[in-house]
Every structure is written in C-alpha cells, then in structure tokens.
Amino acid sequence: MNAKDRLIFPLDVPDADQACKYVRLLSNQVGVFKVGLELFVSEGPSIVDAIANLTEAEIFLDLKFHDIPATVQRAIRSASCLQKASFLTVHCDPVLLEAVVTEVDDNIKILAVTVLTSLDSKALMSLGIREDLASEPIHLVLQRAAIAKQAGCAGIVCSGREAAAVKKKFGANLVVVTPGIRPDWGDVEKDDQARVVTPYQAVKNGADYIVVGRPIRAADDPVEAATRVVEEIERGLKER
Ligand code: C5P
C-alpha cells in the first residue's frame, strides 16, 4: 500500500454536490472516501454509486451499526450499495459482530468500533464504566479488539494513542483505523475529539489507515493539507 492509500477522508458534508466536489478535488491524495451518517441519511445509498463513478479510491460506509443482531442483519441484506464499499463499521458487541461477519461478502472489511475517540476517561466513567477500566481507555480498546478478532472482523477503529498496543497484541492480523487525527500545523475550532495524535504519530504507532477530516476540510487549501498529511504518513511508515 502507498502512503496515499492509507488516508481516509470523511465526506462529512450535507449533500451529494459537496461530497462529489471533495471527491474530485482530493482523489489524487486520498485512498478511501468515507460516507458517514450525515451524507448517507441525506442522500441514501445512491451516494455510494455517485462516488464510485468519480474515483478509483475505495469507499468506506461508516454507519456504525448498533442494534439487535437481527435488525442489523436485515439492514445489511437490504443495502445493495454494500457491493461497492470496502469497509463497514459496527459497534463492538460479540453477538452482533458475529452476525454481521456471517452476513457480508468477502469484498467488505468489517471494522469494530472500540471506544469512540471523542470519549475520555471522565466520559467513560459517566457511562458507568468501572474506574480502573475507564482511567486508561487502552484497557477497553484491547478487550474490545479481542472481541472483534474472535468474531472474525477484519479490523477495529481506535485512537492513534492505542494503535501501538493493539498492533503489539494482534499484529498484522487486525487492521487498525484511527480517527482523532490532528496535525500540529492545523487548528480545528470547537473540537470534539479527545484522544488525538498527529498523522505521523498514528502511523508510527502502527495505524494502517488514518481518518483526517476537519484538518483538511477547514484548511485554506485542502489539496495542500492532504498532501502534507500523506507526507507525514510516509515519514511515519519509514520510522516504524
Ligand atoms: O478529523 P475529523 O475529527 O473531522 O474526523 C471526523 C470523522 O471521524 C467523522 O466522520 C467521524 O465519524 C469519524 N470518527 C470515527 N470514529 C471515531 C471518531 C470519529 O469514525 N471514534
């Protein structure tokens, strides 16, 4: 994989016009375009075809499914757009993950969401997680990564801070995707990400893919910002 192939750009925009604008603009810098809830809810499955018609890049359907297994299985059966997607996210629940893995074709990698990068220790405790587990999110991330592996998932989503420990324990057999990326050269206003690292650090720590949204979208020149991120990925790869 080239450095570029490891950069995931989230199309966190409200409509197809804006999404297609970013796909055209960034296809030379980005390996994977991510369709999240905002765009999927507004445009529906046809957005996946629209993107696939514009780019050779892969498509990541980040719907973060979280419901009873039968409901999620039925949703997957009715989602023909999954044929064009390479990644799909599901929240970490052993029975749910197993049900999803048996439902999808080989073309799609199921990624289990471990602990959202917007959650810090305080937030985890307020959700009822025991203090000894919540104090260091890595404990929960490793526990949930083991659940994902056992269920047959291709990979997990966690923060770049946890990537090294996950790679040490699970090696190349579990793909690690890390959002919560903040280059030290870009400012994101009103940030909701809590467990952040730079692109270089995430890749050096072992992340296979990094999700970089606002630092690219909010830049005066998104193409230049994406190019800088790819350079950092290259640097991180050399040093691991
Ligand atoms: O770089 P930025 O913060 O803008 O990236 C936001 C994107 O990262 C959103 O699309 C969000 O869904 C995604 N994300 C994720 N998993 C997390 C946290 C954020 O996929 N744990």
Side-chain angles (χ1 to χ4, degrees):
M1 267 203 299
N2 296 324
K4 169 202 155 168
D5 300 330
R6 298 171 184 271
L7 174 56
I8 301 175
F9 180 74
L11 295 163
D12 292 334
V13 292
D15 57 50
D17 282 353
Q18 290 190 57
C20 291
K21 184 192 91 179
Y22 278 112
V23 172
R24 286 194 197 93
L25 187 68
L26 295 172
S27 272
N28 288 334
Q29 283 75 29
V30 165
V32 185
F33 286 101
K34 182 168 93 67
V35 176
L37 285 176
E38 180 185 8
L39 186 58
F40 196 81
V41 168
S42 80
E43 293 289 344
S46 64
I47 188 65
V48 175
D49 286 319
I51 296 167
N53 287 338
L54 286 178
T55 182
E56 298 283 295
E58 294 190 282
I59 298 177
F60 177 170
L61 212 42
D62 185 21
L63 301 181
K64 296 194 175 72
F65 284 134
H66 200 178
D67 207 320
I68 60 170
T71 300
V72 175
Q73 274 182 320
R74 293 169 74 89
I76 287 172
R77 267 174 229 153
S78 64
S80 58
C81 62
L82 284 179
Q83 299 301 328
K84 294 203 171 139
S86 305
F87 302 89
L88 176 73
T89 41
V90 181
H91 274 280
C92 203
D93 159 343
V95 183
L96 173 60
L97 290 176
E98 274 170 33
V100 167
V101 167
T102 55
E103 196 61 51
V104 297
D105 295 337
D106 289 346
N107 67 311
I108 189 154
K109 292 186 175 73
I110 300 299
L111 303 175
V113 178
T114 57
V115 179
L116 291 172
T117 48
S118 52
L119 298 174
D120 58 13
S121 302
K122 204 169 139 211
L124 289 171
M125 266 190 287
S126 74
L127 287 169
I129 306 285
R130 269 189 355 233
E131 192 176 349
D132 57 325
L133 282 176
S135 60
E136 290 294 340
I138 184 61
H139 300 313
L140 270 183
V141 169
L142 286 175
Q143 193 179 34
R144 293 178 181 178
I147 291 170
K149 183 89 188 82
Q150 173 74 26
C153 291
I156 62 153
V157 183
C158 66
S159 103
R161 295 188 189 180
E162 293 114 29
V166 174
K167 278 291 170 187
K168 191 167 171 217
K169 187 153 181 198
F170 299 96
N173 293 328
L174 200 65
V175 171
V176 171
V177 176
T178 64
I181 302 293
R182 292 292 175 261
D184 48 21
W185 40 264
D187 266 347
V188 175
E189 278 178 40
K190 288 201 194 138
D191 210 343
D192 55 355
Q193 298 282 18
R195 305 192 326 277
V196 302
V197 298
T198 65
Y200 162 75
Q201 196 65 51
V203 173
K204 190 169 177 243
N205 287 354
D208 296 290
Y209 297 87
I210 61 173
V211 180
V212 189
R214 283 164 286 186
I216 293 175
R217 221 169 51 241
D220 291 338
D221 182 343
V223 174
E224 192 216 348
T227 305
R228 284 180 82 172
V229 171
V230 173
E231 284 164 10
E232 281 199 42
I233 294 174
E234 267 163 12
R235 211 153 41 83
L237 284 171
K238 277 189 197 131
E239 290 186 26
R240 71 185 200 191

